[in-house]
Amino acid sequence: MTTTVPAAHEAAVPAREAAVPAPAPAGRRRWIALAVLLTASFMDLVDATIVNIAIPSIQRDTGASFSAVQWVTAGYALAFALGLITGGRLGDIYGRKKLFLLGMGGFTLASALCGLATDPGMLVGARVLQGAMAALMVPQVLAIIHVSFPAGERGKVFGMFGAVIGLGAVCGPLIGALLTEGDLLGLEWRPIFLINLPVGIAGILLGRRFLTESRATRALRVDLIGTALATVGLLMLLYPLTQGRESGWPLWGFVSMAASPLVLAVFVRYERIKARKDGSPLVELSLFSVRTFAAGAGVQLTFGVVSGLFFLVWTLHMQLGLGWGPLHAGLTGVPFSLACSTAAGMSVQKLVPRFGRAVLQAGALIMLSGALLYLWEAGHYGTALQSWQMAPAMLLMGAGMGLIVAPITDAAISEVPAEHSGSASGIFNTTGQLGMALGLGLSSVAFFGVVGGTGEPGGAGAAAALRPAFVDATTHALWWISGGLVLIFGLLFLMPRRVPAQDAPERTAHDGAEAEQQPVLVS
């Protein structure tokens, strides 16, 4: 079970040079173009939020181990995060329409490969490809909107964008549940991916006709070496963390994890050299000298870890621990999604302008109270826990999450120089995606290590016998989640007391520094 918060759906690409103004499409043409862009954003968001609800079905059908299940979600998140900044720069250099269509085509193809996967390895590989293609497609959306609509119309357009994101946040898990439980044509979980095919094909055909090409006059260069170093360093940490339990925690895994910080240190050194050499590093490290940005990045990283772990654990607890079907689990998540969306809107529009940082800290405490209530209920009721009993905890966790994730980007970059705001927003939200991948990797220790074994037994009786183990694993993981929320509460003291009231999309999209909104919580 996953969800995404509308107001937190922001991942900007780095700041850019002034964009070449594209001729604004006339009349109906640009609104059709907008429909294509919004459909692509909805498709990406739904695909990110749809997968966890189908994990038990995927595991039963393919025989996937727990580590493979982790990679189905973590692989997408990692590929998406590592490609976001590069995808934005490629759009600046080669044209945003071109990269958008390339990304949508690749995303559609990857969706087909996911739906046709014959084994866990093929599914994981297709999900990684899907994440990489989303990283090409998604950063172009707001950039194209920015050059296609005059300033006076952008407020209305961004409002429509937010409504689509909110709809996707609520509908994604339910669509996944209906498609999985409906077992269309006996395909079980596969329609959650195959549904992207007609949508993607229609988007490509309409996009070719109605989107207008644009690019930056002088875009930053693509940092391939920096991307490679970051990828290797993170994989050296995440691969053994995810696979280690299943392999009996071999020595090579500990060596790899210990060497990961060394590779990332080389990455940092290289980025400093590249910044001096040509001014186009993958990560602008000077931003971390701004205390509020560094603290905000710490909050975002930790929040990503907490979110990635929580949504995976929650889904598996409901379906494998409590024996609920996908639709039952999806409907149980509706209070969370609605509370999250409502709190996010109130946080940005009314609460943060008046109370500042205290709203985010209250969100952390409210979410912590929900996690502790859920922990108590899971331990007290065991396998007899009912949806209505879980609802109060979900309302608290959803409301707390909405209070944090909606305003956190503006709070973190509020003291960053204006010329670096786009780059800061891109790095900040990429950090959240990386945190989510790390949280999914940590589930090996926090959750699956308590369950034991390598996969769910095939028989219904055996699955029922494992339910108490999944309940115990859920309570164990919730202690980790609670600890992460305490850390977030502490880090928020380093944020500014007051957050300037600004239009985030307008600021990060200003003068060519277009920001693409992208889910912080992907899985």
Side-chain angles (χ1 to χ4, degrees), residues 51-52 55 69-77 127 312 436 440 523:
V51 174
N52 273 9
I55 280 178
V69 164
Q70 291 170 269
W71 279 114
V72 168
T73 49
Y76 181 98
R127 282 286 286 170
L312 178 63
M436 189 190 64
L440 291 165
S523 283

Side-chain angles (χ1 to χ4, degrees), residues 167-186:
L167 183 64
V170 175
C171 293
L174 287 178
I175 293 173
L178 288 169
L179 291 175
T180 302
E181 192 152 300
D183 193 18
L184 301 178
L185 302 176

Side-chain angles (χ1 to χ4, degrees), residues 1 52-57 60 177 180-181 313-335 374 377-378 381-394 456 460 463-464 467 470-471 474:
M1 174 69 194
N52 273 9
I53 203 76
I55 280 178
S57 177
R60 286 191 299 269
T180 302
E181 192 152 300
V313 167
W314 184 24
T315 298
L316 296 180
H317 175 229
M318 288 189 290
Q319 296 194 58
L320 301 183
L322 302 178
W324 298 350
L327 185 58
H328 187 171
L331 291 172
T332 302
V334 170
Y374 183 19
E377 289 178 332
Y381 295 108
T383 57
L385 183 63
Q386 301 295 316
S387 292
W388 67 268
Q389 294 167 326
M390 189 185 291
M394 294 303 102
E456 183 192 1
R467 287 176 188 168
F470 277 99
V471 172
T474 298

Side-chain angles (χ1 to χ4, degrees), residues 365-422:
L365 293 178
I366 292 171
M367 195 172 177
L368 175 62
S369 67
L372 292 175
L373 177 59
Y374 183 19
L375 193 158
W376 177 82
E377 289 178 332
H380 180 74
Y381 295 108
T383 57
L385 183 63
Q386 301 295 316
S387 292
W388 67 268
Q389 294 167 326
M390 189 185 291
M394 294 303 102
L395 287 170
L396 287 171
M397 293 197 74
M401 182 173 286
L403 292 177
I404 297 173
V405 297
I408 186 62
T409 301
D410 269 357
I413 67 176
S414 61
E415 296 181 6
V416 170
E419 64 268 23
H420 293 305
S421 62

Side-chain angles (χ1 to χ4, degrees), residues 218-229:
R218 185 171 65 85
L220 294 172
R221 298 178 182 178
V222 175
D223 184 5
L224 295 178
I225 296 177
T227 301
L229 286 171

Side-chain angles (χ1 to χ4, degrees), residues 95-385:
R96 292 151 189 154
K97 173 182 176 179
K98 185 180 297 182
L99 265 292
F100 174 83
L101 294 175
L102 177 62
M104 177 169 271
F107 190 89
T108 304
L109 174 62
S111 298
L113 294 175
C114 288
L116 299 174
T118 56
D119 56 65
M122 181 177 175
L123 179 58
V124 170
R127 282 286 286 170
V128 171
L129 177 62
Q130 201 178 33
M133 291 300 102
L136 293 181
M137 174 180 70
V138 166
Q140 318 309 327
V141 172
L142 287 189
I144 295 175
I145 289 175
H146 181 72
V147 299
S148 299
F149 289 86
E153 291 183 344
R154 286 185 207 137
K156 178 181 179 181
V157 171
F158 287 135
M160 296 170 64
F161 189 93
V164 168
I165 301 309
L167 183 64
V170 175
C171 293
L174 287 178
I175 293 173
L178 288 169
L179 291 175
T180 302
E181 192 152 300
D183 193 18
L184 301 178
L185 302 176
L187 294 175
E188 300 188 43
W189 52 274
R190 298 176 190 276
I192 70 171
F193 297 112
L194 297 177
I195 195 175
N196 289 334
L197 272 62
V199 178
I201 292 171
I204 293 168
L205 295 176
L206 292 172
R208 282 173 57 88
R209 180 175 179 182
F210 293 102
L211 292 179
T212 301
E213 186 61 279
S214 67
R215 57 175 58 85
T217 54
R218 185 171 65 85
L220 294 172
R221 298 178 182 178
V222 175
D223 184 5
L224 295 178
I225 296 177
T227 301
L229 286 171
T231 301
V232 171
L234 289 166
L235 283 177
M236 288 175 66
L237 173 64
L238 288 173
Y239 184 80
L241 185 62
T242 303
Q243 299 289 136
R245 182 197 58 81
E246 187 175 305
S247 302
W249 297 109
L251 178 61
W252 64 262
F254 291 101
V255 172
S256 178
M257 287 188 284
S260 173
L262 301 178
V263 176
L264 294 176
V266 173
F267 165 74
V268 171
R269 176 63 177 166
Y270 175 79
E271 292 298 285
R272 287 175 176 165
I273 294 173
K274 187 166 179 61
R276 291 195 300 267
K277 183 179 179 181
D278 61 16
S280 59
L282 180 68
V283 176
E284 184 59 61
L285 296 174
S286 63
L287 292 170
F288 290 92
S289 63
V290 179
R291 191 190 74 167
T292 53
F293 179 79
V299 171
Q300 185 79 334
L301 180 69
T302 309
F303 202 85
V305 171
V306 167
S307 300
L309 180 59
F310 169 70
F311 288 122
L312 178 63
V313 167
W314 184 24
T315 298
L316 296 180
H317 175 229
M318 288 189 290
Q319 296 194 58
L320 301 183
L322 302 178
W324 298 350
L327 185 58
H328 187 171
L331 291 172
T332 302
V334 170
F336 182 102
S337 297
L338 293 177
C340 197
S341 298
T342 302
M346 292 179 60
S347 176
V348 171
Q349 297 172 17
K350 296 182 179 180
L351 298 178
V352 170
R354 182 175 181 182
F355 300 106
R357 181 183 70 191
V359 176
L360 284 78
Q361 292 177 308
L365 293 178
I366 292 171
M367 195 172 177
L368 175 62
S369 67
L372 292 175
L373 177 59
Y374 183 19
L375 193 158
W376 177 82
E377 289 178 332
H380 180 74
Y381 295 108
T383 57
L385 183 63

